[in-house]
Amino acid sequence: MKKVTKTTLKAKKTKFDSTDALINRELSWLSFARRVLALVEDPDLPLLERVKFAGIMGMLHDEFAMKRMGGLKRRMKKTKPSRGGLSLEEELRACRIELQRQSLLVSRLVHDKLMPALAKVGIPILNYKDLNKKQSSQMKRYFRKSVAPVLTPLAVDVSHPFPFIANLGLNIAVIIKDAKKNQNRFVRVKVPTNLPRWIPLPKDPGFVPLEQVIASNLKMLFHKAHRIECYFFRVTRIGKDDPWERGILQGPAADLTPGSIIAMVTNELTARKFAGVVRLQVSEEMPEKLQSWIVKQLKADIKDLESTQGLLGLADLMKFQVSGHPELRDPPHEPVSHPRVRRLNPDHPEEIFNEIRRGDILLHHPYHSFDSSTLHFLKCAALDPQVLAIKLTVYRTNSDSPVLQTLMEASQRGKQVSALVEITARFDEASNMSWGKRMERAGVHVVYGMERLKTHVKAALVVRAEEGGIRHYFHVGTGNYHPGTARIYEDLGILSCDPELGIEIATLFNELTGAVKSPGYKKLLVAPDNMFKRFTKLLRREIQHRQNGRPCGIRAKMNQLQDPRMIGELYRAGQAGVPISLNVRGLCCLRAGVPRLSKNIRVFSTIGRFLEHGRIYRFENGGDPEFFIGSADWMRRNLSSRKECIMPVKDPHIKLELEQILGIFENDNCSAWDMQPDSTYVRRHHGKREECRAAQKVFINLSGVYPEKRFPDRKSARRRLSGRKARVPK
């Protein structure tokens, strides 16, 4: 059979970047939000989980408006069509329509379904006007003692300009009627963010929204007012691009003086506070005349006005915490220690290194405990006297991070400790700069990102002196070193001491911290150095296997798929007959199952209680499958404008575990959604006599099982990977 060459690959020219071949990125993201919205609608989910997902929808919509719609507004002066074939004006209009449609659906679900259901089970969110006299008196006392002292009413008149309205803050538009002067006065009252949004009734079940407590008791602040009217509004401002991805400071004349990136990011944070308005939500009771006046004062576009039924700021539903009621939640999940680390003695730090030398360890969070695996690895490195150096990348972490505390402790013990802190991680810039300064004071060598490249690498390196010489132990993962998100994000990581990979990880850290250009990577896939070329080579190799009659196939799991070049390569492979299965959680610009374009490509999305965040890439390779995991999605930014790292998987046991993970996702018949040829998604449902195989539930059941018990020996694992799929337990 004819072999594939560069000539034959280019022989059939197909416009893979045409309107018909690519889904608009922003509309694809909103399609993902629609799938999350279905969980708010799902009556089979526990009630408080539906409430949580309603809060997640509010957060997603806020982020989309700030980042994506805000980005479109910034680029409005350009006339070049987007990859989806729309002009920027058309794209913004389509996004606005769909966002407002989804927002209306969520608001109605909360108002018409979730709030009555909460009342029925005895934990109502009450409207202030529905309180009885006793409850109303309780809220008045709370307002007088705890709320009124915090408030700062700001009037608008000849002497007082319209006040600045902060991003995502909830505000009360107060109209004070003065009967004597026969005029109205506008006063803005900001709802404090340092008080609970949901105020519990002292002696009765139920909660009252803070803004309603304030609005109903403003007479205490405006004693002489003849009449008071109150309406709620909320502003979303454009979220600034991160500096590297927007392209600033990239020219040859750019001022990149030492430390200038810190000043640059500080300026960006200041600018973000005063950015233009991209969305204005108002309560539906607000008169149209007042709506128009507020739009004018904010210098906003009337098209960005969104009249909302019921509560504003639904993201705060994620903070709706009630005690008890386990029947209204998913069964509690507590991560278990990986079987290979569960018996390690924390007082003997050398044991973790002995265990890693026995063979690589695959960690699957949140099913495996982050604390007893990755964090334990770093703590042991800090304590072990044979460890000479520790290096780590920091993209996002929590305010009291035990990971960074461990690095500081290691430095104080005399070890060489380096941390690359990416301070352009969107919405975590201030926190990361604060941590960087704290670590510097503790003696840690801190580097604030790379020049002209955002660093998205997820890696840790431990250098240890042993009898045979220096050995590199390392962790490469798909998630941040964040103990909090490790409990709610699905992520993967590998602990290893492979000599070849260890040397390349060390080379990567030298490049990250020392700005020393690497001579090249033979094993690692590193963006923007060689990742796109290596992935392209792997994809085209599958076409060659297909042409030569050998086993072929591509299976991958990622967060997003957008890069037009990668999509074009996938289309070529699919048209050559290579079977392709892609598990893409979020936006996907590839059209799957379209005749003459992608009939051999399948795309599905898994959505559940944990955020799917892991990346796995598998290539059949003629019957000898190759696996890769790491930090990068197939997005243009990941492949071209970020520092990313993908590692090859060598251990046959781990290959079989990854094979099983991919199979469990593919066999999911409850929480997976299949893309249709028209780019819509249809949720899978199991039959009445069929057992539910929701992937995340399967992983919870498997998390404590030794890999060796599933796959007894390495030879067996290698045989089972050669030409046969791993058996997937139901």
Side-chain angles (χ1 to χ4, degrees):
M1 193 173 287
K2 187 179 179 181
K3 292 186 178 181
V4 173
T5 64
K6 290 184 178 179
T7 303
T8 57
L9 281 173
K10 295 180 179 179
K12 185 178 179 180
K13 291 186 178 180
T14 306
K15 293 184 178 180
F16 292 136
D17 61 349
S18 66
T19 304
D20 294 333
L22 294 174
I23 303 169
N24 179 273
R25 168 180 171 155
E26 319 305 350
L27 297 180
S28 177
W29 193 97
L30 286 170
S31 175
F32 158 66
R34 275 273 184 176
R35 300 194 290 278
V36 179
L37 176 55
L39 300 180
V40 186
E41 297 172 311
D42 190 351
D44 293 330
L45 278 184
L47 177 58
L48 290 178
E49 299 300 323
R50 295 175 66 190
V51 172
K52 178 191 73 177
F53 278 112
I56 290 173
M57 284 300 300
M59 179 195 68
L60 291 176
H61 285 163
D62 288 342
E63 185 173 333
F64 181 80
M66 285 189 292
K67 292 168 62 174
R68 307 312 315 166
M69 291 176 64
L72 289 172
K73 282 206 165 193
R74 281 194 305 271
R75 301 196 303 272
M76 285 290 278
K77 293 182 180 180
K78 298 181 181 179
T79 57
K80 183 179 178 181
S82 70
R83 287 284 182 177
L86 303 174
S87 69
L88 291 169
E89 291 83 357
E90 291 170 334
E91 193 173 358
L92 180 60
R93 187 184 310 118
C95 289
R96 184 188 288 124
I97 290 171
E98 177 60 19
L99 178 65
Q100 292 183 0
R101 184 182 293 129
Q102 289 188 22
S103 296
L104 179 61
L105 286 172
V106 179
S107 295
R108 286 179 175 172
L109 280 168
V110 171
H111 186 270
D112 299 339
K113 299 292 184 181
L114 299 186
M115 289 178 67
L118 288 170
K120 191 174 181 179
V121 297
I123 46 175
I125 297 176
L126 298 166
N127 289 315
Y128 196 95
K129 63 181 180 181
D130 296 328
L131 300 181
N132 59 39
K133 289 184 179 181
K134 177 184 174 183
Q135 294 167 337
S136 179
S137 297
Q138 292 169 342
M139 289 296 99
K140 284 181 179 179
R141 284 195 294 271
Y142 176 79
F143 175 82
R144 186 183 298 110
K145 292 181 179 180
S146 302
V147 182
V150 183
L151 300 180
T152 304
L154 296 175
V156 177
D157 54 28
V158 176
S159 303
H160 303 89
F162 193 85
F164 174 75
I165 307 299
N167 185 37
L168 302 182
L170 189 54
N171 303 272
I172 305 175
V174 183
I175 305 298
I176 299 175
K177 306 278 186 178
D178 191 327
K180 292 183 179 180
K181 296 183 179 181
N182 193 26
Q183 65 181 21
N184 299 336
R185 179 185 293 272
F186 177 90
V187 178
R188 174 266 198 159
V189 176
K190 181 180 179 180
V191 178
T193 56
N194 54 356
L195 294 177
R197 172 76 187 276
W198 316 108
I199 310 302
L201 291 167
K203 297 182 180 180
D204 297 314
F207 299 81
V208 184
L210 174 60
E211 67 273 18
Q212 293 188 22
V213 174
I214 297 172
S216 300
N217 290 284
L218 284 176
K219 191 72 174 176
M220 295 187 196
L221 298 183
F222 308 107
H223 304 284
K224 296 183 179 181
H226 174 68
R227 183 182 170 192
I228 297 176
E229 293 179 1
C230 293
Y231 310 97
F232 306 114
F233 70 101
R234 186 172 181 266
V235 166
T236 306
R237 295 187 176 275
I238 296 172
K240 294 290 185 180
D241 280 341
D242 75 68
W244 298 137
E245 290 182 10
R246 191 168 77 246
I248 71 172
L249 297 184
Q250 296 218 1
D255 177 19
L256 288 175
T257 57
S260 62
I261 187 174
I262 299 176
M264 176 185 67
V265 173
T266 302
N267 292 336
E268 286 292 309
L269 292 176
T270 303
R272 183 182 297 168
K273 294 179 182 179
F274 299 96
V277 175
V278 72
R279 188 184 187 205
L280 172 60
Q281 297 166 283
V282 301
S283 52
E284 63 179 357
E285 302 85 7
M286 182 182 288
E288 290 186 9
K289 186 176 180 180
L290 179 58
Q291 293 180 20
S292 301
W293 184 79
I294 292 177
V295 167
K296 183 178 179 180
Q297 299 304 311
L298 291 168
K299 296 180 175 59
D301 188 334
I302 193 67
K303 297 173 185 175
D304 293 322
L305 181 67
E306 186 178 310
S307 181
T308 303
Q309 177 188 22
L311 299 168
L312 299 182
L314 292 180
D316 287 338
L317 286 173
M318 296 175 66
K319 304 174 185 176
F320 183 69
Q321 304 292 335
V322 295
S323 58
H325 301 282
E327 73 283 1
L328 302 180
R329 298 182 173 86
D330 283 328
H333 169 67
E334 188 64 31
V336 302
S337 293
H338 189 287
R340 286 184 54 190
V341 301
R342 106 180 14 146
R343 292 185 178 85
L344 300 181
N345 190 335
D347 295 328
H348 296 280
E350 72 281 357
E351 290 186 4
I352 183 68
F353 303 107
N354 297 338
E355 187 64 32
I356 294 172
R357 288 199 301 274
R358 287 185 54 232
D360 294 355
I361 302 173
L362 177 68
L363 305 170
H364 196 189
H365 308 300
Y367 315 107
H368 292 141
S369 168
F370 176 87
D371 292 357
S372 64
S373 56
T374 309
L375 180 57
H376 177 71
F377 168 67
L378 294 171
K379 285 184 174 181
C380 288
L383 294 173
D384 188 352
Q386 291 180 246
V387 169
L388 306 177
I390 303 173
K391 303 182 180 185
L392 185 81
T393 58
V394 181
Y395 191 71
R396 300 190 195 278
T397 191
N398 48 341
S399 58
D400 56 346
S401 171
V403 172
L404 303 190
Q405 295 281 6
T406 297
L407 294 185
M408 292 189 288
E409 181 182 348
S411 176
Q412 291 165 356
R413 287 175 175 269
K415 303 182 190 304
Q416 293 294 311
V417 182
S418 304
L420 186 139
V421 179
E422 182 49 72
I423 60 171
T424 65
R426 198 192 302 261
F427 306 130
D428 280 302
E429 299 95 336
S431 173
N432 285 0
M433 282 193 287
S434 174
W435 266 114
K437 293 174 183 176
R438 289 176 62 182
M439 287 192 290
E440 284 179 328
R441 288 195 292 269
V444 176
H445 302 296
V446 178
V447 178
Y448 294 99
M450 294 187 70
E451 186 176 297
R452 297 181 175 87
L453 280 177
K454 189 171 189 173
T455 305
H456 199 244
V457 173
K458 321 293 185 186
L461 176 67
V462 172
V463 181
R464 192 169 187 262
E466 298 178 355
E467 288 185 6
I470 296 295
R471 192 188 296 267
H472 297 94
Y473 295 84
F474 59 89
H475 173 272
V476 172
T478 68
N480 306 306
Y481 294 99
H482 191 310
T485 58
R487 299 178 69 89
I488 56 176
Y489 284 17
E490 181 274 343
D491 271 306
L492 296 154
I494 290 179
L495 289 169
S496 176
C497 61
D498 178 273
E500 292 181 315
L501 289 177
I503 290 173
E504 291 205 355
I505 294 289
T507 300
L508 175 60
F509 270 103
N510 287 338
E511 186 176 356
L512 293 175
T513 61
V516 179
K517 185 64 178 176
S518 165
Y521 298 94
K522 295 181 180 180
K523 301 296 181 180
L524 292 179
L525 281 66
V526 178
D529 303 55
N530 68 352
M531 186 177 291
F532 175 73
K533 291 181 180 179
R534 290 282 299 278
F535 272 133
T536 300
K537 186 176 180 180
L538 291 166
L539 288 165
R540 294 183 178 184
R541 187 183 65 183
E542 294 306 309
I543 298 176
Q544 293 175 341
H545 287 310
R546 170 67 178 173
Q547 295 282 358
N548 293 318
R550 293 190 291 266
C552 63
I554 300 162
R555 297 161 72 193
K557 178 183 184 296
M558 67 195 83
N559 299 341
Q560 330 272 11
L561 172 57
Q562 171 270 333
D563 188 277
R565 301 167 300 170
M566 291 300 299
I567 292 174
E569 295 294 337
L570 290 165
Y571 282 151
R572 290 186 185 93
Q575 290 180 359
V578 178
I580 300 172
S581 177
L582 305 173
N583 180 358
V584 186
R585 181 203 76 214
L587 71 89
C588 176
C589 297
L590 178 146
R591 298 184 184 274
V594 178
R596 298 186 180 181
L597 178 67
S598 57
K599 69 175 183 179
N600 290 319
I601 303 178
R602 172 196 185 199
V603 171
F604 66 98
S605 171
T606 305
I607 299 177
R609 65 189 288 188
F610 307 124
L611 180 75
E612 291 296 334
H613 196 249
R615 292 95 167 180
I616 306 172
Y617 301 98
R618 180 198 187 276
F619 301 89
E620 183 62 36
N621 189 31
D624 184 17
E626 291 188 356
F627 291 80
F628 301 82
I629 73 162
S631 61
D633 293 316
W634 280 348
M635 299 276 285
R636 181 182 287 278
R637 67 187 185 190
N638 298 103
L639 299 171
S640 301
S641 60
R642 288 184 173 185
K643 203 69 177 177
E644 302 272 11
C645 175
I646 297 281
M647 70 169 282
V649 178
K650 295 184 176 182
D651 190 295
H653 272 297
I654 292 184
K655 286 185 177 182
L656 197 52
E657 287 184 74
L658 293 174
E659 181 86 9
Q660 183 188 47
I661 288 170
L662 290 173
I664 289 172
F665 280 115
E666 289 174 346
N667 288 338
D668 187 319
N669 61 2
C670 297
S671 56
W673 298 69
D674 291 303
M675 181 190 283
Q676 306 302 300
D678 65 355
S679 304
T680 61
Y681 284 77
V682 175
R683 188 175 182 177
R684 297 180 194 170
H685 293 282
H686 61 92
K688 292 182 180 180
R689 298 183 180 181
E690 188 180 8
E691 182 184 2
C692 174
R693 297 192 302 273
Q696 295 183 353
K697 291 182 180 179
V698 175
F699 292 130
I700 289 174
N701 294 333
L702 287 176
S703 57
V705 180
Y706 274 92
E708 290 82 354
K709 290 187 178 180
R710 300 181 210 158
F711 319 114
D713 61 82
R714 293 175 183 268
K715 291 183 179 179
S716 172
R718 190 178 296 277
R719 283 198 304 270
R720 293 182 65 179
L721 274 175
S722 300
R724 286 201 296 167
K725 289 185 178 181
R727 181 169 172 265
V728 179
K730 297 183 179 180

